[in-house]
């Protein structure tokens, strides 16, 4: 299943279909009488580099710690919110909208499709074919119209930002981003400000070719009496680096767009074939199938599942869609995937469409290396590499620590300080360590050898911060202040957020230190880590499973959406299923406590639950969570849903990781196949699943493995195998 199909035009943005080339992102409505294209550029953000570090934070850090250690947690919260804060991140912005109005176009037998393996969007009616794609090799978006009958059209452009439109031998939409764009949840008199004239310029340029008459006039493009029309779009901004003031001159950015389009040999078929070769080479590198084809429209597939029908076709399509979005949004030289990937239509989008680093940014990439999408991870590595500069200033000035850190939010300017708001999310200096742990895990999974030096350096600097931020308390090194992301607990009559030694922060710390110990050649750092590791505050058993905070506090929200206390189990490897059965049961208990009290339908939370239930070897739980996600947490265009009506893309990517974990789990170099397979997916196959530098392919029938192939030596548990399983000589079977 590799095609999204609809029999009617999209009525709004959340029904439109996405294209992207790692530079430009587009939402295509696929209209009937008209067409609407929403454009983003991955570098178009509000603001400019700013220093939000604060000596006031360091002056009060020990005061906050002492309040926590003395049991005055609520007072610690109040003091921290006043003195340990930073500022808001900047906002990922929409660039502009292109509106195409057709004359004389056929409306009969309408269909629109998005082929995930070729990244080609098509709209067909009787006698008319419209194709659109966004090319990574040429960094342009191309929209072609073929009609048997002569047609005419008019193109107009506008933007949510301050903008102008001009025409020369093409058409330009241009302007400047806001100097500041506050989060939608923050109330202020002027949340969007253009008052400093320091923010980046931007441009969307159109050039058209046709066998009809092409006119650029009155800030419009008019094409008359054509059978064939090809529209070429390029986007550029004034962004020149995370630590450099952006270009504000719109003429310079218009010229950059012209240069991009001038480089393109405007031979449509050549551009298209080059695009398909590039995209398909990544998409087809790895595959998963549940052996179910269904040519129903995608919205009908969703309805079938909601009515209790077969999940196979939709599940496979949704998995492939996640891969498609990653390749479309995250390419070498681009920016990492943010809360909405690279697709946003609002000037004040949910949570600024930023990089939320207490789960969401990390989850965006969980499935990448297993799918062999190594190139797509480069923007995340690059962001961490750049953050060494900004994060080391925050580490030193705010916390008097070596190394680098990042808190709850970052942006294109690599903000690393805390934001403003509740301590449940505002104060989170180990988010940089979590991001680092993720790229190190991808590196260990293989395919990133060319980034080895950078990844090791990032890992060392992250460990240096963790090492210095830990403090000794009652014979153990603890993180203090410490949070469990966005959660809270009751202590006497108060609702509190800060504590010391939360399961989340201690697991991140342990993983960060162990990673550095494994890869560094810095002998001094090794000795310091070896001294700390045995004295880290341990995980404990609480009333509802693994203890979230340092004590058995009453949790305010029993079914909280974050599974952060279980980080040690997944995505980290501090607690392992076979090697640590006692603490695995602690994980299982808290996992079910959260699930049993949850009534929310949040895409990313459900995706994390799929990962956990797969690794816990609980197919029935897994089945319920998968169905819940597909029935309640996706829009008709398969974008993931966050209440009340927000689009948030992390669930799309987390689902990839969940299915990967359902099919293959690894522990201390040994693989188990089908650990969390649900009975709906009783037949299927996967090709070239990447694990620890090895490509593994296997097929199964009636829930049992029938064939296995590996390109390198690998150990596989003798579980879930059919009696006559076939495998090559690279595979060694071992008993649990």
């Amino acid at each position: 299943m590799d095609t999204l199909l609809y029999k009617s035009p999209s009525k709004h943005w959340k029904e439109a279909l996405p294209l992207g080339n790692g530079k430009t992102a587009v939402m295509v409505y696929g209209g009937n009488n008209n067409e609407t294209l929403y454009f983003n550029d991955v570098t178009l953000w509000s603001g400019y580099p700013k220093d939000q570090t604060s000596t006031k934070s360091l002056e009060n850090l020990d005061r906050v710690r002492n309040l926590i250690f003395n049991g005055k947690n609520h007072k610690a919260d109040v003091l921290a919110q006043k003195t340990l804060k930073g500022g808001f991140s900047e906002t990922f912005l929409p660039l502009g909208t292109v509106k195409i109005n057709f004359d004389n176009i056929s409306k009969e037998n309408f269909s629109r499709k998005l082929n995930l393996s070729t990244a080609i969007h098509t709209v067909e009616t009787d006698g008319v074919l419209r194709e659109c794609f966004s090319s990574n090799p040429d960094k342009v978006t191309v929209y072609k119209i073929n009609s048997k009958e002569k047609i005419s059209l008019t193109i107009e452009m506008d933007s949510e930002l301050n903008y102008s439109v001009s025409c020369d031998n093409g058409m330009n939409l241009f302007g400047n981003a806001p100097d500041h764009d506050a989060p939608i949840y923050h109330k202020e008199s002027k949340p969007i400000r253009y008052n400093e004239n320091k923010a980046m310029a931007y441009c969307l340029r159109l050039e058209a070719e046709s066998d009809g008459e092409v006119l650029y006039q009155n800030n419009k493009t008019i094409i008359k009496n054509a059978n064939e029309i090809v529209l070429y779009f390029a986007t550029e901004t004034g962004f020149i680096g995370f630590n450099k003031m952006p270009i504000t001159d719109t003429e310079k950015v218009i010229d950059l767009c012209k240069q991009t389009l001038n480089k393109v040999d405007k031979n449509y078929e050549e551009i298209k074939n080059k695009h398909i070769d590039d995209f398909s080479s990544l998409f087809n590198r790895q595959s998963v199938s549940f052996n179910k084809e269904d040519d129903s429209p995608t919205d009908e597939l969703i309805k079938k599942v909601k009515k209790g029908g077969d999940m196979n076709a939709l599940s496979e399509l949704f998995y492939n869609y996640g891969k498609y979005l990653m390749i479309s949004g995250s390419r070498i030289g681009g920016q990492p995937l943010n809360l909405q990937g690279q697709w946003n239509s609002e000037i004040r989008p949910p949570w600024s469409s930023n990089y939320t680093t207490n789960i969401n940014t990390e989850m965006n990439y969980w499935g990448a290396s297993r799918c062999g999408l190594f190139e797509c991870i480069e923007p995340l590595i690059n962001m961490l590499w750049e953050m060494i500069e900004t994060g080391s200033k925050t580490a030193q000035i705010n916390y008097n620590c070596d190394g680098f850190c990042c808190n709850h939010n970052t942006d294109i300017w690599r903000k690393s300080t805390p934001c403003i708001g509740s301590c449940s999310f505002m104060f989170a200096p180990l988010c940089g360590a979590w991001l680092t742990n993720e790229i190190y895990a991808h590196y260990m999974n293989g395919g990133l050898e060319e980034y080895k030096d950078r990844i090791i350096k990032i890992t060392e600097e992250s460990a240096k911060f963790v090492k210095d931020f830990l403090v000794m308390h009652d014979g153990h090194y603890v993180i203090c202040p410490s949070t469990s992301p966005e959660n809270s607990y009751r202590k006497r009559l108060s609702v509190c957020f800060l504590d010391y030694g939360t399961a989340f922060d201690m697991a991140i710390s342990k993983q960060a230190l162990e990673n550095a110990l494994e890869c560094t050649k810095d002998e001094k750092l090794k000795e310091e880590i070896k001294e700390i590791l045995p004295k880290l505050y341990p995980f404990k058993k609480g009333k509802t499973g693994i203890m979230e905070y340092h004590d058995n506090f009453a949790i305010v929200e029993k079914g909280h959406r974050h599974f952060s206390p279980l980080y040690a189990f997944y995505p980290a490897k501090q607690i392992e299923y076979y090697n640590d059965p006692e603490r695995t049961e602690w994980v299982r208990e808290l996992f079910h406590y959260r699930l049993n009290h949850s009534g929310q339908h949040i895409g990313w939370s459900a995706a994390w639950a799929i990962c956990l239930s797969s690794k816990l070897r609980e197919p029935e739980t897994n089945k319920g969570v998968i169905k819940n996600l597909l029935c309640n947490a996706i829009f008709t265009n398969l974008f993931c849903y966050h209440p009340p009506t927000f689009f948030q893309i992390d669930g799309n990517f987390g689902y990839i990781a969940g299915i990967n974990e359902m099919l293959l789990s690894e522990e201390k170099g040994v693989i188990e196949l089908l650990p969390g397979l649900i009975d709906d997916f009783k037949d299927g196959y996967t090709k070239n699943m990447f694990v620890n530098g090895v490509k593994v392919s296997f097929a199964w029938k009636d829930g049992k493995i029938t064939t296995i192939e590996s390109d390198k030596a690998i150990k596989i548990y003798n579980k879930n195998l059919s009696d006559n399983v076939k495998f090559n000589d690279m595979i060694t079977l071992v008993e649990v």
Side-chain angles (χ1 to χ4, degrees), residues 185-237:
Y185 56 81
H186 182 67
K187 306 300 180 186
E188 57 180 85
S189 58
K190 293 184 178 180
I192 303 169
R193 300 196 299 269
Y194 292 89
N195 55 321
E196 297 176 291
N197 300 314
K198 293 181 179 180
M200 67 177 74
Y202 67 87
C203 178
L204 166 65
R205 179 172 174 81
L206 159 67
E207 293 180 5
E209 293 196 346
S210 175
D211 59 359
E213 183 181 9
V214 179
L215 301 170
Y216 303 108
Q217 60 185 30
N218 300 321
N219 295 335
K220 297 179 182 179
T221 300
I222 301 168
I223 301 176
K224 299 179 179 179
N225 301 318
N227 294 107
E228 181 174 293
I229 301 167
V230 185
L231 309 176
Y232 297 91
F233 298 94
T235 66
E236 293 289 349
T237 76

Side-chain angles (χ1 to χ4, degrees), residues 22 171 174 186 199 220 225 301-302 351 578 633:
M171 186 177 181
F174 60 94
H186 182 67
K220 297 179 182 179
N225 301 318
L301 284 179
I302 298 171
W351 302 287
Y578 288 117

Side-chain angles (χ1 to χ4, degrees), residues 43-52 87-93 176-182 192-201 237-248 390 410-417:
T43 59
L44 182 54
W45 288 68
S46 62
Y48 50 85
K50 297 170 186 174
D51 185 356
Q52 297 181 353
F88 293 120
S89 75
E90 290 299 340
T91 299
F92 177 61
L93 298 167
N176 287 83
D179 295 294
H180 180 64
D181 186 351
I192 303 169
R193 300 196 299 269
Y194 292 89
N195 55 321
E196 297 176 291
N197 300 314
K198 293 181 179 180
M200 67 177 74
T237 76
F239 178 76
I240 53 176
F242 75 99
N243 56 0
K244 296 180 175 66
M245 290 300 294
I247 297 168
T248 58
T390 57
T410 190
D411 52 27
I412 200 168
W413 313 112
R414 306 317 184 219
K415 165 185 159 57
S416 56
T417 53

